[in-house]
Amino acid sequence: KTDIGSGEVWNGLARLRRIIELRLRKLGASRGFKERHLRSAGQALRILADREYVPEGAVSLLQYAIRICNQGVHGDPVSTEESLAALSAAIKGLELLERGESPPADPDA
């Protein structure tokens, strides 16, 4: 958020996309995927979502965040407001992803 808020939108979006990508790769690795199958954040999200490894609510949030990040990283204009919206969507999406990975509580514990 610091990069985006200080006018370094490109840097903030690049970092955000990398965080999403790493998180999705970690999920993919835990499901037996090789890193080469999950080359980009968008590709990883599509593959994992198709196999229902990503909670439904997280998919659209992460798709939006990745789209805005890609626009900024590839030189298309992205406003600070759009960047902050992408950051917010990514945070919510990654929180849902994290909760979706948690094993259910053991009722006998």
Side-chain angles (χ1 to χ4, degrees):
K1 185 174 180 177
T2 303
D3 287 338
I4 293 170
S6 68
E8 296 291 329
V9 173
W10 183 90
N11 289 340
L13 293 175
R15 289 175 202 253
L16 180 58
R17 186 177 69 175
R18 184 68 175 147
I19 289 166
I20 295 168
E21 182 180 300
L22 290 173
R23 190 63 194 89
L24 291 170
R25 282 185 180 171
K26 181 178 174 186
L27 172 60
S30 76
R31 303 290 193 234
F33 287 92
K34 302 241 185 276
E35 188 172 320
R36 70 176 181 270
H37 295 123
L38 309 172
R39 293 184 189 267
S40 69
Q43 181 184 36
L45 181 58
R46 279 189 300 279
I47 290 170
L48 296 171
D50 285 348
R51 287 163 180 80
E52 299 181 357
Y53 294 142
V54 177
E56 188 176 321
V59 175
S60 61
L61 291 166
L62 294 173
Q63 284 173 332
Y64 173 76
I66 292 167
R67 181 173 56 81
I68 298 298
C69 289
N70 285 341
Q71 286 177 344
V73 168
H74 293 293
D76 295 332
V78 177
S79 70
T80 300
E81 292 76 25
E82 286 176 306
S83 299
L84 291 172
L87 175 62
S88 178
I91 290 168
K92 290 174 188 169
L94 291 173
E95 286 173 352
L96 289 171
L97 186 69
E98 187 66 32
R99 283 191 293 225
E101 282 186 39
S102 300
D106 184 353
D108 297 326

